[in-house]
Amino acid sequence: MQAGPGAKGASMLLRAAGLPFRLIKGTALGAAYLRLTGLAKRRMKTARQLVHPQTTLTWKISVDSIVETELPSSGRFGVNSLLTRAITKPDDDSPKITMLNALTALHMAADDPRVTHLDVRVVPAAGTRNRPVSLGLGFAQTDELLEAVLAFNQKKAEQYESGNWDSSFTIDSFDDQLTYYFASAFNKIVVQPTGQLPLTGISWILPYYKKLLDKVGIEVQTGSRMEYNSASAPFTESDIPEKHKDNGMSILFHLNSIFLRTITLSRASSIAALRTEITDENKDPDMFAQEYVHTAMTQHGPYIDAQMAKRIGLITDVGGTFFDDEGYKVGKCTEIGAYVKARRQEIERESHGTPVLDAMLVKLAQLQRRQGTANMTKLLRTYQSQDRVTVGIVYLHGSIERGGANGGSLVCKALIDAAEDPEVESIVLRVDSAGGDFVASDAIASAVRMVQLKYGKLVVASYGNTAASGAYLATTHCDCIFAGPATLTGGIGVSSMRPVATKRFTDFFELGTRQFTLTGPSTNWHELEGEKLEAFKSFVGNTYDSFITQVVSGRNISEKEAESVAQGQVFTGLQASENKLVDKLGGFVYSVEAAAQCGYETRAHSLRSMTGHYFQSAIASAQRECVADYDPILKDGKYQVPSELDPRVERKVGFPGKIVKAILDKSYLDKFNDPTYKYKADITKNIRIKEFSTSDTSTSGLLSLIAKLVGGDLVREAVASALRQERDSIASSLSAVEQPRAEADIMNIK
């Protein structure tokens, strides 16, 4: 049937109406619009899937599914990698989740009475071969996750009677003992009948290459100020030196103590059920349990089959199939990543927004225009309330280099970006690195001091598995350092290695060399001798002295104390807390909460400074306008507030003179320190996380734009840019306000 003229006219009108949309769609603004509408739809969908009573929190883990950060970087999470993940279907079987999100979800679930069950399953990574079925994490990371599961169990036991809650862990077979270490925290551990448990304790192997290098004619010259120099010793020694052995055995002793004690406490109930069958009941239960686990490890290890593991209480059940989903059928099921997003949306709706520095400046500007006492009171109450604090996260991972994916300049840039962000009130530097280039490490340390001194923001260091040598130098001036009990840290020392090809090497490979130089032999084909060798050693010595100086000033200890823990010694976090190398024992979550607590108190100090400055400026302006022969309020570079104000000035300012005087004396603000308004940092309720990428900005502009659109960053940057413009226009009138430093003592935060 042929369409009539009326239908054709309607079609043309519809096409004309759609033309502007098609034009906008091809622009960045259109892309941002589509991105926003997509986010809104997903949020509405998530809101319809909020947590229900009797919820089971499910979590499938593979070797690559738990990551420290998913931000784009020049390395593993580069822009190309980000785009690949965005345009390809993710692995739904074990979706990725960041370490901080996983910890936050477990803490949220522990406090949420609607979550009654936690079901964790470790599965093979999709699309890979010969990869272990494992968490893929280090000791300190695994320990922090384990502590979060134990906290979940404890709180659920308080919320519910026995049998109304549970936590279960399922795996076909354990490929490493750290995965079992994590599993030991669960009430139920289910393994397939053919599975096994490799339980051997913490150990490592150190190869020594000197004899091999001697055979091929390579000599390694070192300039080292490290008696415990484990970095160069494998190339200069045939066997482990005595001091290295002592340091290594001390570390192993502490790590194995943590390993055994934690498994003992986690499996205490299972072992207690077997106790009367094995030994005297009068023996101390804790001592018996620890001896029992140690005996099981030495007598039945390293490979304990599933049946034996059940008999000796290390697991709870053998049977069923690995892919049986019976564990998911308790109430409603929510995947851990979806749960943490939904819970955060609930908290956002309950908190009714988050005031940030930009918002405060806007309110102060409005107050200047409105001149109302009620508005000032509302502003003060808002800033003393339990609203959220924004904490910036910067990551320092892998070997520290001067350039490339782990370049020190990229970490410095991320720190400065966080410092300049008006929303961020404190910063956490998350570290998992064994060190690297001294110059790059020193640059990061300088950036930390710049953030503290120029921007007035507090920097907290959070150590993961390792933070040694250059990584420790980079964080030595942080306001507070957190480490886990199993973190490896220290390594204060400097070592430089120079391999030299000797005549044996050239003869063996029948090589001939000839060097042309004006300054004498200086390449790796010649040994350093005389003054050149002394200069090389002097350079290393001066670098070491600089390291010690920074440790002394950053950690506020004496040079003697610094030397006693230097020379390349490595410590566990537990040992480091005893010798003042770290301030507190605690993981990622606790470091973020401490940073937020001090960030809030810095915010309060900033409010007091700007409030005082506003009144001083307002009074001066009012006097100029109202009193022809006024006495200038600015004297000797300082504001002098008169004891009594002219009535016309009071009306202009909008506050009685007594209140103005009290505010400037800080006494008026004290009444807002009532416990009703006291802020207590809690990552599950009142902390906003903002991560800063260490990506290389030299990436193609088009790829960066696409990556930002995919991640939603372009929209957020546009909003942030508008806020910054508003802030800058207001802050220009408050330029006399000194950048505040946190008045609170972070060491006293619990």
Side-chain angles (χ1 to χ4, degrees):
M1 177 182 289
Q2 188 174 3
K8 289 183 179 180
S11 176
M12 292 179 64
L13 285 174
L14 287 173
R15 289 182 183 179
L19 182 61
F21 174 75
R22 290 198 298 272
L23 290 174
I24 293 175
K25 185 177 179 182
T27 66
L29 181 61
Y33 167 77
L34 294 175
R35 174 65 185 171
L36 279 174
T37 55
L39 287 173
K41 289 179 181 178
R42 282 200 291 274
R43 285 178 179 173
M44 289 177 64
K45 183 179 178 181
T46 304
R48 290 194 295 268
Q49 299 173 344
L50 292 178
V51 187
H52 301 277
Q54 298 292 313
T55 290
T56 294
L57 190 64
T58 64
W59 188 9
K60 285 190 176 181
I61 304 174
S62 65
V63 69
D64 293 323
S65 64
I66 305 175
V67 296
E68 280 284 345
T69 176
E70 287 193 290
L71 281 179
S73 67
S74 301
R76 181 179 176 187
F77 303 105
V79 172
N80 292 333
S81 175
L82 180 67
L83 291 175
T84 301
R85 292 199 306 274
I87 63 178
T88 58
K89 184 179 179 180
D91 176 20
D92 293 330
D93 203 36
S94 55
K96 279 185 169 54
I97 187 170
T98 65
M99 184 74 180
L100 190 57
N101 274 345
L103 291 166
T104 302
L106 290 173
H107 285 289
M108 284 178 170
D111 293 330
D112 191 344
R114 297 168 299 176
V115 178
T116 57
H117 291 74
L118 173 63
D119 194 307
V120 173
R121 302 191 172 204
V122 179
V123 300
T128 60
R129 297 178 59 188
N130 301 322
R131 298 292 301 279
V133 180
S134 165
L135 300 183
L137 302 175
F139 196 171
Q141 292 172 310
T142 306
D143 187 60
E144 188 168 3
L145 284 174
L146 177 145
E147 292 293 337
V149 173
L150 290 176
F152 175 89
N153 291 343
Q154 181 180 353
K155 290 192 176 182
K156 292 307 166 188
E158 296 171 357
Q159 294 170 7
Y160 295 97
E161 296 179 358
S162 177
N164 295 331
W165 69 275
D166 205 356
S167 61
S168 62
F169 181 96
T170 306
I171 193 170
D172 57 350
S173 181
F174 289 98
D175 286 352
D176 64 79
Q177 57 187 352
L178 281 182
T179 302
Y180 174 74
Y181 180 74
F182 174 61
S184 68
F186 291 78
N187 286 353
K188 294 181 180 178
I189 306 174
V190 182
V191 182
Q192 284 188 188
T194 53
Q196 66 177 8
L197 170 57
L199 200 59
T200 60
I202 308 299
S203 62
W204 58 67
I205 297 175
L206 298 176
Y208 286 81
Y209 307 102
K210 187 176 186 307
K211 291 182 179 179
L212 174 63
L213 294 176
D214 287 344
K215 284 185 178 180
V216 297
I218 299 293
E219 180 181 339
V220 178
Q221 288 186 309
T222 62
S224 177
R225 290 283 297 275
M226 298 167 62
E227 293 184 24
Y228 301 84
N229 183 14
S230 57
S232 60
F235 305 98
T236 60
E237 305 289 341
S238 301
D239 198 1
I240 184 169
E242 197 63 29
K243 288 192 174 183
H244 297 192
K245 182 179 179 180
D246 293 341
N247 188 215
M249 292 303 295
S250 174
I251 295 170
L252 279 179
F253 174 79
H254 279 81
L255 292 180
N256 276 295
S257 295
I258 295 169
F259 185 77
L260 279 175
R261 184 172 63 252
T262 304
I263 292 177
T264 298
L265 295 174
S266 301
R267 306 310 307 158
S269 58
S270 299
I271 296 172
L274 302 171
R275 182 180 173 198
T276 55
E277 304 175 11
I278 301 172
T279 190
D280 183 7
E281 291 186 3
N282 294 324
K283 193 169 186 179
D284 179 70
D286 293 338
M287 182 62 68
F288 162 75
Q290 189 156 338
E291 289 179 358
Y292 181 81
V293 173
H294 184 265
T295 301
M297 184 173 65
T298 54
Q299 290 186 0
H300 301 287
Y303 300 105
I304 306 172
D305 64 70
Q307 301 291 346
M308 176 61 72
K310 181 182 178 182
R311 283 199 299 271
I312 62 180
L314 296 180
I315 66 174
T316 58
D317 197 14
V318 174
T321 60
F322 181 57
F323 297 101
D324 180 18
D325 285 337
E326 286 298 323
Y328 290 107
K329 295 181 180 178
V330 181
K332 299 285 186 178
C333 298
T334 303
E335 192 272 329
I336 189 170
Y339 170 77
V340 72
K341 291 178 182 177
R343 188 74 188 98
R344 278 175 176 156
Q345 287 184 28
E346 288 181 334
I347 293 169
E348 284 180 6
R349 285 194 294 272
E350 293 167 2
S351 64
H352 303 293
T354 304
V356 295
L357 183 59
D358 289 311
M360 186 182 71
L361 290 170
V362 171
K363 288 180 180 179
L364 280 174
Q366 294 171 348
L367 182 64
Q368 282 183 307
R369 291 192 292 268
R370 297 173 185 171
Q371 309 295 340
T373 307
N375 289 332
M376 172 57 79
T377 303
K378 183 178 179 181
L379 175 62
L380 294 174
R381 285 184 180 276
T382 298
Y383 250 73
Q384 292 294 104
S385 68
Q386 295 184 6
D387 285 300
R388 292 184 298 168
V389 171
T390 300
V391 176
I393 310 288
V394 176
Y395 294 91
L396 173 58
H397 288 163
S399 178
I400 302 173
E401 304 164 354
R402 293 175 69 186
N406 298 318
S409 59
L410 300 179
V411 179
C412 293
K413 179 182 180 300
L415 283 168
I416 300 304
D417 287 345
E420 292 181 342
D421 192 308
E423 293 183 352
V424 173
E425 295 173 81
S426 55
I427 300 169
V428 171
L429 180 58
R430 175 66 169 176
V431 182
D432 195 352
S433 168
D437 185 82
F438 185 88
V439 174
S441 303
D442 190 33
I444 297 171
S446 299
V448 169
R449 292 195 294 276
M450 182 178 179
V451 169
Q452 294 167 329
L453 299 176
K454 180 179 178 180
Y455 297 95
K457 293 187 179 181
L458 175 137
V459 183
V460 173
S462 172
Y463 290 169
N465 298 313
T466 309
S469 192
Y472 186 79
L473 170 65
T475 58
T476 190
H477 280 85
C478 288
D479 295 277
C480 188
I481 299 177
F482 283 79
T487 297
L488 295 182
T489 187
I492 301 171
V494 178
S495 177
S496 180
M497 293 185 289
R498 185 177 181 275
V500 177
T502 64
K503 188 175 184 302
R504 179 190 291 270
F505 179 86
T506 56
D507 291 345
F508 183 83
F509 291 101
E510 298 182 355
L511 295 174
T513 63
R514 176 74 66 180
Q515 180 178 2
F516 297 90
T517 178
L518 298 177
T519 59
S522 58
T523 67
N524 292 87
W525 294 94
H526 301 87
E527 293 185 46
L528 293 180
E529 297 177 343
E531 293 182 356
K532 292 185 180 294
L533 180 59
E534 291 301 318
F536 174 61
K537 292 182 177 180
S538 176
F539 167 75
V540 173
N542 292 337
T543 306
Y544 176 82
D545 292 338
S546 174
F547 199 157
I548 292 294
T549 300
Q550 294 206 45
V551 172
V552 169
S553 62
R555 303 303 303 146
N556 194 26
I557 59 178
S558 67
E559 187 172 345
K560 183 178 179 180
E561 289 176 308
E563 283 286 355
S564 68
V565 293
Q567 300 294 329
Q569 296 177 80
V570 178
F571 304 97
T572 64
L574 200 59
Q575 293 172 304
S577 67
E578 296 171 354
N579 56 34
K580 301 181 182 180
L581 288 181
V582 303
D583 298 301
K584 287 180 176 290
L585 288 176
F588 204 173
V589 168
Y590 299 109
S591 61
V592 170
E593 289 179 341
Q597 188 68 43
C598 278
Y600 173 82
E601 298 183 20
T602 304
R603 170 203 286 181
H605 177 63
S606 174
L607 173 69
R608 293 185 181 97
S609 299
M610 282 189 285
T611 303
H613 178 78
Y614 157 69
F615 278 113
Q616 291 164 344
S617 302
I619 293 170
S621 175
Q623 282 193 328
R624 283 196 299 270
E625 295 179 15
C626 299
V627 184
D629 56 346
Y630 80 99
D631 186 23
I633 198 169
L634 186 64
K635 295 181 179 179
D636 300 326
K638 296 182 180 180
Y639 284 103
Q640 304 291 328
V641 181
S643 56
E644 294 184 4
L645 295 179
D646 185 282
R648 291 172 294 176
V649 175
E650 286 189 356
R651 287 194 297 272
K652 189 76 175 176
V653 175
F655 288 83
K658 291 182 179 180
I659 292 181
V660 172
K661 188 71 174 177
I663 288 176
L664 296 177
D665 292 338
K666 304 295 189 289
S667 59
Y668 184 73
L669 297 174
D670 291 339
K671 70 178 182 179
F672 295 104
N673 290 328
D674 185 82
T676 306
Y677 305 112
K678 191 64 176 176
Y679 175 87
K680 181 170 173 38
D682 186 341
I683 198 167
T684 67
K685 298 176 182 177
N686 52 26
I687 298 175
R688 178 175 177 254
I689 301 299
K690 190 168 187 179
E691 296 179 321
F692 289 84
S693 172
T694 54
S695 62
D696 190 349
T697 55
S698 63
T699 308
S700 165
L702 178 60
L703 287 178
S704 298
L705 176 62
I706 297 173
K708 288 179 179 180
L709 284 173
V710 170
D713 292 337
L714 192 66
V715 178
R716 287 192 291 271
E717 285 184 8
V719 175
S721 176
L723 280 174
R724 281 195 292 270
Q725 291 178 5
E726 179 71 14
R727 176 205 64 187
D728 293 340
S729 64
I730 299 168
S732 61
S733 64
L734 303 175
S735 57
V737 179
E738 183 181 359
Q739 289 286 354
R741 285 285 290 145
E743 292 183 323
D745 183 2
I746 192 170
M747 304 308 170
N748 293 327
I749 292 177
K750 299 180 180 179

